Amino acid sequence: MPPKKKEIDLKNLDLTHIYTPEEIEHINNHLKTRINFENGRLLPIPQSPIANEAVVHEISRQLGNWNVETGQNGIVTTSQGGYNFSVKGQSKIRAPHIAFIPENIYNSLSKTQLLTFFGQPFTPIFVTEVVNVSKEAILNEVDIRFKNDYFATGTSVKLGWLIDPRNHMIWTYEKDDDENVTRQKRKWEDLDGGNILPGFTLDIEFVEKIISQKYDEDELLIEEVKENEDKESEHQTSEKDLGLI
């Protein structure tokens, strides 16, 4: 007789435990919000300031309009749309701030692929991240995510944008037919989707309107320090609740 499986305590999930795909599905089916996992481990998901989320919405709105108006009939997803960026056999569930899947890829997906993270992994052809990269360490972290996850060998991603609206900075990532990835810093101006998103141009003026509200720089700095302190406190509280400290 096989040993009885240990029941999962949904109120005290273990950040250090490696869950099986069946356990991950069980957890997500019984919680009100979907949990992100990487190689079976729980991933904490930070919340975004409202201006960042507004920029994400604006970019997805423009992309969605282009998708309909040009008859692409693809799918636009935002930060709750997860994809399995499997790299070297390791499952990495990632949810880019904005992503686009062509009609032919979406229509080829099975029910299992559409409704779960099981089945053959698939990825979008275009991704965007909206991040405040005022610190070099943050830029390096996001750059690694683009190159090692989104643009890993075998993924379908051909074009990526890293947009920092607060500091008016843009980087583009492109993958050629030989799987080589190049990153280029761009001016704070309209972005052309090129051959990957034919006919699409991101109107940066609408993004600018979202973050152009005047504010006191000293007040913003104080708020950033407080925000970092609050995040650290929340992280410690979460670990305490889970019995890790």
Side-chain angles (χ1 to χ4, degrees), residues 186-232:
R186 300 295 187 96
K187 295 180 179 179
W188 183 253
E189 59 186 17
D190 293 355
L191 273 175
D192 192 321
N195 295 328
I196 307 303
L197 307 174
F200 176 64
T201 299
L202 177 66
D203 190 337
I204 209 72
E205 181 181 354
F206 286 93
V207 174
E208 179 67 31
K209 287 180 180 178
I210 294 172
I211 47 91
S212 62
Q213 180 175 332
K214 293 183 179 180
Y215 48 77
D216 186 279
E217 289 290 347
D218 291 337
E219 179 184 351
L220 180 62
L221 180 59
I222 293 172
E223 288 299 321
E224 284 185 336
V225 172
K226 185 177 184 301
E227 180 183 332
N228 290 334
E229 291 175 348
D230 290 343
K231 285 183 178 179
E232 180 64 24

Side-chain angles (χ1 to χ4, degrees), residues 83-118:
Y83 300 87
N84 186 353
F85 288 87
S86 292
V87 180
K88 297 180 181 178
Q90 296 182 332
S91 177
K92 286 190 176 184
I93 306 300
R94 290 282 186 261
H97 287 155
I98 303 113
F100 177 74
I101 311 174
E103 179 184 22
N104 64 318
I105 293 181
Y106 188 79
N107 289 344
S108 70
L109 301 178
S110 66
K111 184 177 180 180
T112 300
Q113 291 172 301
L114 287 170
L115 302 180
T116 74
F117 288 112
F118 300 116

Side-chain angles (χ1 to χ4, degrees), residues 11-202:
K11 293 183 179 180
N12 295 282
L13 295 173
D14 188 351
L15 290 174
T16 65
H17 180 70
I18 298 178
Y19 294 93
T20 66
E22 291 75 18
E23 289 174 329
I24 292 173
E25 195 67 16
H26 172 77
I27 292 169
N28 279 323
N29 285 338
H30 287 79
L31 294 180
K32 293 181 179 179
T33 58
R34 194 161 188 90
I35 305 299
N36 274 15
F37 292 83
E38 178 179 317
N39 299 327
R41 295 185 187 275
L42 285 163
L43 286 178
I45 305 175
Q47 301 301 311
S48 297
I50 187 171
N52 272 45
E53 193 61 24
V55 170
V56 168
H57 172 75
E58 174 57 32
I59 297 172
S60 65
R61 180 192 69 80
Q62 293 189 37
L63 187 63
N65 288 347
W66 162 82
N67 181 43
V68 173
E69 292 168 0
T70 61
Q72 301 294 321
N73 300 319
I75 297 295
V76 178
T77 61
T78 51
S79 51
Q80 286 299 305
Y83 300 87
N84 186 353
F85 288 87
S86 292
V87 180
K88 297 180 181 178
Q90 296 182 332
S91 177
K92 286 190 176 184
I93 306 300
R94 290 282 186 261
H97 287 155
I98 303 113
F100 177 74
I101 311 174
E103 179 184 22
N104 64 318
I105 293 181
Y106 188 79
N107 289 344
S108 70
L109 301 178
S110 66
K111 184 177 180 180
T112 300
Q113 291 172 301
L114 287 170
L115 302 180
T116 74
F117 288 112
F118 300 116
Q120 184 67 27
F122 64 95
T123 56
I125 64 169
F126 168 70
V127 297
T128 294
E129 291 284 347
V130 178
V131 184
N132 173 14
V133 291
S134 55
K135 296 181 180 178
E136 189 69 24
I138 297 176
L139 176 59
N140 290 338
E141 178 184 342
V142 179
D143 183 63
I144 289 173
R145 186 188 312 157
F146 268 89
K147 293 178 178 177
N148 291 1
D149 296 342
Y150 298 157
F151 283 86
T153 300
T155 71
S156 301
V157 181
K158 296 292 185 181
L159 176 66
W161 294 345
L162 170 54
I163 298 177
D164 179 354
R166 180 180 293 184
N167 300 293
H168 290 179
M169 293 190 289
I170 297 172
W171 289 266
T172 60
Y173 292 77
E174 295 186 62
K175 182 195 290 182
D176 62 25
D177 294 335
D178 295 323
E179 299 285 327
N180 297 313
V181 180
T182 57
R183 187 186 82 178
Q184 183 177 357
K185 190 170 184 179
R186 300 295 187 96
K187 295 180 179 179
W188 183 253
E189 59 186 17
D190 293 355
L191 273 175
D192 192 321
N195 295 328
I196 307 303
L197 307 174
F200 176 64
T201 299
L202 177 66

Side-chain angles (χ1 to χ4, degrees), residues 230-244:
D230 290 343
K231 285 183 178 179
E232 180 64 24
S233 176
E234 288 174 4
H235 179 67
Q236 291 179 354
T237 301
S238 175
E239 289 188 332
K240 184 177 181 181
D241 290 342
L242 291 168
L244 299 179

